[in-house]
Amino acid sequence: MIPYLPKQIATKGIYLYLGVLTAVSLVFFRHAMSIDFLIMGVMWVVGFFLLSNYCSKKWQETPQKKFLLNLFLIALGLRWAWTIFAYFYYFIKTGMPFEFSAGDSIWYYEETMGNVHANIKDVWDYLFVNTNSISDSGYIFFLSLLSKLTGESILIPRLVNGIFSAGTCVLIYFLAKRNIGEEGSRLAAVFSCFMPNFIFYCGTHLKESLMIFLMVAFLERADYLLRSKKYNVFTIVIPVLLALSLFSFRTVLGGAAVFAFVTAIVFTNTAVIGKAKRYMLIGWGLLAVFTFTGGTIMNESEGLWEQREDNQMAKRSVQTARGNQWAKYATGTVMAPMMFVLPFPTMVDVDEQYNQQMISGGNYVRNFLGGFVLIAVFSAIFITKNWRNLSLIGSFVIAYLGIVSTSGFANSERFLLPGLPVLLIMAAYGVTLLNAKNYKFIKIWYWVVPVMGFAWAFFKLGSRGLF
């Protein structure tokens, strides 16, 4: 078992990125990214691999409490540093402290300012009672409560989101520990600490940092409930409330969480869950279904599911109308098999997709780690055959990414982000399983990753007739 990210793999990840970035920038020179985005990409990739290698190796024997304290403080420091930098960077680039082409961020802020002097009950009724959709309501309610303490501050809510994002790294450790063991859990936590995509969203006013914290908290508490021999009303109610909270951030995410929990109840080995608790949890699940059937959550979920194909077709039609002629080929059938490695990194300047260029290094890291995810999936199904005991996290990521891949947002980094915590756990598991036999696959993957990056640049430019 390899309990840390080997230096050989870390340096290979860096060299491959520098190689493909150079190749894309030279071949498509007229559409090369600006120098600041190039620097950011190198910073994300070099920082992730070097720090993951160093910390995962150094912290192997560190006592758990000290390890978690170091993990949280370093994660928080990185997130706060980026938040402060991004605040001023966006102000210089856009004239306001919001990201490029900001839409949802400004809307969240404006909605919050409209509620800052309102009665809490009135805000609750506006967001959760007198509405046909509660998606996003949870985040606006959180910002509204926070604004009563911080006023009109834009920076403070983002710093608070940094605390949640750092806390997510700690939760990933506990979730991973029960699923893949101590060594793998430390590596997964280190991956999450330095993951560029998690750090990036702390510098925006978007909901992703808090939403992912709640999502991982649900998975961790649900996993604890399934595996613990002792349980009470609180250990049952907490994951239920966390699952409900996810519907108020993104309806599909809440649906995937419920599906994963039900799947885990059915498939987890009896030796782990126990017969009595299995029947009890099934009863609770049925009660929850009957309680919410016909309500706002159920109606919204049904509407999204029934419109999934129409939404995909509409998104492709809009992209084609804008000049992206090859977008019609990015269907669910094409994208679904790649869901463990998406999204592809944007390494060219096209259609003013500046946010995607800023985080291109993070998306490359996801592509690179995808090879280890595939090793973990293959091993769980065919070698160790412990997939039943990984059914909670496995069914969640498959359900959520499966739904996204059949929508019009199959390569949207923001929509794919909730699957990342589980993918990092699986990637860490894949690293710990490395041996001479499956490392041959990784050597092949070293060729696949740069091809994906270059091909995506070719696709984005070619579909618009820019070369």
Side-chain angles (χ1 to χ4, degrees):
M1 174 177 286
I2 302 177
Y4 60 90
L5 180 67
K7 185 176 181 179
Q8 178 184 358
I9 294 176
T11 53
K12 182 66 73 172
I14 294 173
Y15 292 150
L16 289 177
Y17 178 74
L18 295 177
V20 69
L21 181 63
T22 301
V24 168
S25 300
L26 291 177
V27 173
F28 307 113
F29 184 76
R30 290 192 301 128
H31 303 283
M33 295 190 296
S34 62
I35 187 65
D36 47 344
F37 295 148
L38 290 171
I39 293 174
M40 286 181 190
V42 174
M43 175 194 71
W44 291 130
V45 173
V46 173
F48 174 84
F49 284 111
L50 291 186
L51 291 172
S52 293
N53 164 251
Y54 177 78
C55 292
S56 63
K57 194 170 185 178
K58 184 178 179 181
W59 292 344
Q60 284 184 74
E61 305 299 330
T62 303
Q64 184 188 78
K65 289 185 178 179
K66 186 177 180 180
F67 165 74
L68 293 176
L69 179 61
N70 291 341
L71 178 77
F72 179 81
L73 292 178
I74 291 177
L76 182 61
L78 289 172
R79 283 151 177 76
W80 278 2
W82 171 257
T83 297
I84 295 172
F85 166 79
Y87 182 89
F88 293 104
Y89 176 79
Y90 289 138
F91 206 100
I92 293 171
K93 290 291 185 177
T94 69
M96 55 184 179
F98 292 92
E99 70 274 11
F100 299 98
S101 304
D104 288 350
S105 289
I106 296 177
W107 179 67
Y108 291 145
Y109 180 72
E110 291 177 345
E111 284 285 298
T112 302
M113 292 302 98
N115 296 332
V116 66
H117 299 299
N119 181 277
I120 293 179
K121 184 181 183 302
D122 292 337
V123 175
W124 178 270
D125 290 342
Y126 167 67
L127 294 173
F128 296 101
V129 179
N130 304 320
T131 181
N132 293 322
S133 172
I134 65 169
S135 186
D136 286 328
S137 295
Y139 186 58
I140 295 174
F141 185 71
F142 162 75
L143 290 178
S144 299
L145 293 179
L146 190 61
S147 68
K148 294 185 179 298
L149 300 175
T150 62
E152 299 182 359
S153 173
I154 294 176
L155 185 58
I156 292 179
R158 298 180 186 180
L159 295 174
V160 173
N161 277 337
I163 298 175
F164 285 116
S165 183
T168 300
C169 302
V170 177
L171 291 176
I172 286 177
Y173 165 79
F174 287 111
L175 174 61
K177 183 177 180 180
R178 290 191 294 270
N179 284 269
I180 63 175
E182 178 69 24
E183 292 81 4
S185 67
R186 293 197 176 205
L187 183 55
V190 169
F191 281 168
S192 64
C193 176
F194 301 116
M195 190 65 208
N197 303 66
F198 290 158
I199 298 172
F200 174 81
Y201 279 97
C202 295
T204 72
H205 223 70
L206 295 170
K207 63 185 177 181
E208 270 62 27
S209 295
L210 177 55
M211 179 176 70
I212 290 175
F213 172 84
L214 294 173
M215 183 209 76
V216 176
F218 161 76
L219 291 175
E220 195 278 328
R221 287 293 83 193
D223 184 75
Y224 175 83
L225 174 60
L226 290 170
R227 296 175 186 273
S228 177
K229 301 299 181 183
K230 297 180 180 180
Y231 52 92
N232 52 45
V233 64
F234 293 105
T235 57
I236 297 174
V237 169
I238 289 175
V240 171
L241 293 178
L242 287 169
L244 290 177
S245 72
L246 294 177
F247 284 96
S248 69
F249 280 76
R250 185 173 294 163
T251 307
V252 172
L253 191 61
V258 173
F259 172 81
F261 190 52
V262 173
T263 302
I265 293 173
V266 174
F267 287 102
T268 301
N269 284 327
T270 303
V272 174
I273 190 173
K275 282 187 177 181
K277 185 161 64 173
R278 190 194 302 274
Y279 296 142
M280 182 271 294
L281 292 176
I282 290 175
W284 269 82
L286 292 174
L287 178 63
V289 169
F290 288 131
T291 300
F292 295 104
T293 299
T296 301
I297 292 176
M298 196 65 183
N299 291 337
E300 187 174 350
S301 300
E302 288 178 352
L304 287 171
W305 177 255
E306 291 172 356
Q307 297 170 17
R308 67 192 187 284
E309 293 184 359
D310 293 339
N311 290 337
Q312 184 183 35
M313 293 176 63
K315 178 72 180 295
R316 300 305 175 210
S317 297
V318 170
Q319 290 175 325
T320 302
R322 290 176 177 175
N324 191 348
Q325 298 301 318
W326 295 352
K328 59 185 177 182
Y329 300 114
T331 63
T333 304
V334 174
M335 304 302 281
M338 298 183 286
M339 62 183 177
F340 289 137
V341 300
L342 292 173
F344 299 126
T346 297
M347 297 184 180
V348 288
D349 184 11
V350 60
D351 290 350
E352 297 184 349
Q353 296 176 348
Y354 301 131
N355 294 317
Q356 294 184 36
Q357 294 176 53
M358 285 182 70
I359 199 60
S360 64
N363 292 343
Y364 165 84
V365 171
R366 294 187 62 163
N367 297 162
F368 186 88
L369 294 180
F372 300 97
V373 173
L374 295 177
I375 287 178
V377 172
F378 181 85
S379 177
I381 297 175
F382 299 107
I383 300 177
T384 60
K385 298 182 180 179
N386 63 336
W387 64 270
R388 295 172 67 91
N389 293 335
L390 300 174
S391 58
L392 176 67
I393 60 175
S395 59
F396 169 80
V397 75
I398 291 173
Y400 180 77
L401 294 181
I403 293 172
V404 173
S405 67
T406 58
S407 71
F409 304 94
N411 197 60
S412 171
E413 187 274 336
R414 185 181 171 194
F415 279 85
L416 292 169
L417 191 68
L420 185 54
V422 174
L423 293 179
L424 292 179
I425 294 175
M426 296 169 69
Y429 187 39
V431 172
T432 64
L433 294 173
L434 278 181
N435 53 42
K437 185 176 181 179
N438 56 32
Y439 188 63
K440 294 179 181 178
F441 170 75
I442 295 300
K443 288 182 176 179
I444 297 174
W445 193 250
Y446 290 157
W447 291 92
V448 174
V449 172
V451 169
M452 289 192 295
F454 190 91
W456 185 243
F458 179 85
F459 179 90
K460 292 185 80 72
L461 295 174
S463 64
R464 293 165 174 82
L466 296 178
F467 63 79

